[in-house]
Amino acid sequence: WPGVSKPVADGVLGFDQKWMMGWMHDTLKYMIHDPLFRKNHHHELTFSMVYAFSEKFMLPLSHDEVVHGKGPLIDRMPGGEQQRFAGLRLLFGYMWTHPGAQLLFMGGEFGQTTEWNIERGLEWWLTKHETHQGIQAWIKALNHLYKNTKALYEKQFDHDGFEWIDHADWQNSVLTYIR
């Protein structure tokens, strides 16, 4: 299976990956800014690559990020409804192409709009709305891309699996890299 670490692939329960908390905090901190002002925070996206290959990292958007007053991911995106959903798709696209494995907490795959609550469960009814269907379709497309693009998983923990094209285009808030 693509992206599965060797001990798990050999039939042994692995636990050989570490959560890349710095990536999570820096990326979410970057995403809260209006796109017009993100250029002043460009380093929050590039810093994770300084240490990305020092361990086998998992990129978490975990339960801890959608409880205890932090709210759902969609609420961290600036702008109106369309901009917030576009921001969430951008976040997931960046996550799926960044080196490391992905960990997305339930509800993220369709843009849950309330903070996680064990008593209420997930808001599956939201998937009747086009914007939430768009998030679902995007996650499906990203998973398909990941599964069918060896460059995204074969060397996801290896420096040879990543190359910067331009990490310094802060004025346009653009990162370009090869996987």
Side-chain angles (χ1 to χ4, degrees):
W1 179 255
V4 174
S5 60
K6 186 156 179 39
V8 175
D10 289 342
V12 178
L13 195 53
F15 298 114
D16 63 343
Q17 295 179 22
K18 180 178 182 181
W19 285 21
M20 195 177 203
M21 300 300 284
W23 172 88
M24 178 194 63
H25 290 295
D26 289 349
T27 301
L28 290 176
K29 188 175 169 185
Y30 176 85
M31 294 301 294
I32 66 169
H33 298 290
D34 185 297
L36 294 174
F37 303 108
R38 285 183 179 160
K39 64 184 175 183
N40 301 319
H41 302 274
H42 196 73
H43 64 282
E44 292 166 359
L45 290 185
T46 60
F47 183 68
S48 64
M49 291 310 299
V50 170
Y51 60 93
F53 304 106
S54 61
E55 300 189 50
K56 289 184 176 180
F57 280 113
M58 179 176 292
L59 310 174
L61 290 175
S62 71
H63 63 287
D64 280 344
E65 292 311 306
V66 293
V67 296
H68 308 303
K70 294 178 185 171
L73 292 174
I74 192 74
D75 283 356
R76 305 211 193 153
M77 305 298 132
E81 183 180 38
Q82 294 300 319
Q83 291 85 9
R84 290 184 316 134
F85 278 91
L88 195 56
R89 291 190 304 273
L90 175 65
L91 170 62
F92 294 151
Y94 175 60
M95 181 181 187
W96 259 249
T97 62
H98 190 286
Q102 300 79 32
L103 175 65
L104 182 60
F105 187 66
M106 55 189 175
E109 74 275 17
F110 62 83
Q112 175 108 353
T113 59
T114 59
E115 186 172 88
W116 167 248
N117 181 322
I118 196 168
E119 302 297 323
R120 288 194 315 261
L122 296 177
E123 301 174 319
W124 288 109
W125 59 270
L126 290 171
T127 60
K128 295 178 183 178
H129 301 282
E130 189 175 325
T131 51
H132 296 275
Q133 291 171 3
I135 296 292
Q136 274 190 311
W138 181 236
I139 294 294
K140 181 179 178 179
L142 288 170
N143 284 336
H144 180 78
L145 176 71
Y146 182 82
K147 183 178 176 188
N148 293 294
T149 308
K150 289 182 178 185
L152 293 177
Y153 63 81
E154 275 189 335
K155 295 184 179 182
Q156 68 183 352
F157 305 118
D158 186 337
H159 215 292
D160 292 338
F162 180 89
E163 180 183 344
W164 280 117
I165 295 173
D166 187 357
H167 62 24
D169 189 2
W170 61 272
Q171 290 183 342
N172 294 304
S173 299
V174 173
L175 296 175
T176 50
Y177 47 87
I178 297 172
R179 286 294 314 278

